[in-house]
Amino acid sequence: MSAIERLLKRERAYVGVALALLVFLAWTYIWRGAGMGMSALQMTSLTLFPHARAEPMAGMPPPALTWISVIAMWWVMMIAMMTPSVAPLVLLYGRVLRHAAKMPLAQAFAPPMFLAAGYLSVWLAFSIVAAALQYALRRLDLISGMTLWSKSATLSACVLIAAGVYQLSPLKSVCVKHCRGPVEFLTRRWRAGRVGAFVMGAEHGVWCLGCCWVLMLLLFVVGVMNLVWIALLGLFVLAEKAAPRGLIVSRAGGAVLIAWGLATLWI
């Protein structure tokens, strides 16, 4: 086997590098402010109770954001947070496809990318809804126009407790189990072709959305552009889906969120 043939058989590495590059670019965009007109570091805080903290940039006019820029901000955040958790499915799909069909690299590389695109399209739909919710919360003066974190103890408590209760719900458990089983998912939901790959990715994305949508709303409490909490939520989601005891992690997180929400009412 020639060196070129050996190189062409490493489609798993190519797909992995492509996904890693996508995550890197997403994090770079977030770090640079995601179109907010300021660094994400200026909107980052470690506080558990942001509603009780004075805004670091009080008195400054909030940035003028377009509808598209807010949707893009949310979508890029979802790409940064959720791509690592779908990577095992994408890599497994590419490997199965390559060995089953024995197709050239170019043809083997494309369907996994279509699967990833289908998955991320679901999070684009979520981002549109999240952008609308962000606009509504700003109009009601429930979140800061500058830091985008909660200004209301009631809002914070409601979101935290709702997220905690959902973590302990049967629906959450069902969604997590689907997300934790890429082999079973591909076995039961296999579709051929690029369109089939996109549909499979979208279907998996729906299960993932069912698993994580309430967790994403926590950003309205701690700050939509809070780098620390974006990273922590991303790691928590990855642990839920990939750690050996992910279901226990999920339920423990629910208990912590409920306790945090109750404590918020007293701060």
Side-chain angles (χ1 to χ4, degrees):
M1 181 183 294
S2 68
I4 293 180
E5 289 176 326
R6 288 196 298 270
L7 185 63
L8 293 179
K9 286 186 176 296
R10 296 177 181 173
E11 79 291 335
R12 187 179 179 89
Y14 290 123
V15 173
V17 168
L19 293 175
L21 180 61
L22 179 63
V23 173
F24 173 77
L25 292 174
W27 272 105
T28 300
Y29 184 71
I30 295 170
W31 182 271
R32 294 174 64 87
M36 287 288 295
M38 65 187 76
S39 168
L41 287 176
Q42 295 176 281
M43 295 176 278
T44 296
S45 172
L46 292 175
T47 181
L48 294 176
F49 308 104
H51 67 275
R53 179 181 176 183
E55 291 190 56
M57 294 168 283
M60 293 179 59
L65 302 176
T66 66
W67 178 249
I68 297 299
S69 67
V70 176
I71 294 174
M73 175 184 70
W74 274 96
W75 195 30
V76 172
M77 284 194 298
M78 296 304 103
I79 291 172
M81 296 167 69
M82 306 308 300
T83 300
S85 65
V86 78
L89 175 68
V90 176
L91 293 171
L92 177 63
Y93 174 70
R95 186 178 183 87
V96 171
L97 193 67
R98 171 69 171 165
H99 286 277
K102 301 185 183 301
M103 57 180 57
L105 176 66
Q107 296 180 26
F109 181 82
M113 292 297 99
F114 273 79
L115 188 146
Y119 176 84
L120 294 176
S121 69
V122 173
W123 287 104
L124 173 59
F126 169 83
S127 298
I128 294 172
V129 176
L133 183 56
Q134 177 179 318
Y135 176 79
L137 291 174
R138 284 189 63 182
R139 286 291 300 270
L140 294 171
D141 199 33
L142 293 176
I143 64 173
S144 165
M146 292 296 298
T147 57
L148 298 178
W149 63 46
S150 173
K151 296 170 64 176
S152 165
T154 301
L155 172 66
S156 297
C158 288
V159 173
L160 288 164
I161 293 172
V165 171
Y166 187 75
Q167 288 292 111
L168 303 175
S169 70
L171 178 57
K172 170 73 177 192
S173 298
V174 170
C175 292
V176 170
K177 288 178 181 178
H178 275 82
C179 293
R180 288 177 58 84
V183 174
E184 183 178 358
F185 178 81
L186 289 179
T187 300
R188 294 186 175 184
R189 313 305 299 177
W190 183 272
R191 292 179 174 87
R194 297 180 181 183
V195 174
F198 186 91
V199 172
M200 279 195 298
E203 183 176 347
H204 188 75
V206 170
W207 284 113
C208 188
L209 180 62
C211 176
C212 304
W213 70 275
V214 184
L215 289 175
M216 298 304 111
L217 297 184
L218 293 175
L219 293 173
F220 287 122
V221 175
V222 295
V224 173
M225 285 293 295
N226 192 320
L227 290 173
V228 172
W229 287 105
I230 292 172
L232 289 175
L233 280 174
L235 290 173
F236 181 78
V237 168
L238 184 60
E240 279 188 321
K241 297 180 179 181
R245 299 186 180 276
L247 291 176
I248 295 177
V249 171
S250 178
R251 290 164 184 160
V256 170
L257 288 171
I258 292 172
W260 183 4
L262 292 174
T264 297
L265 294 173
W266 297 95
I267 300 298

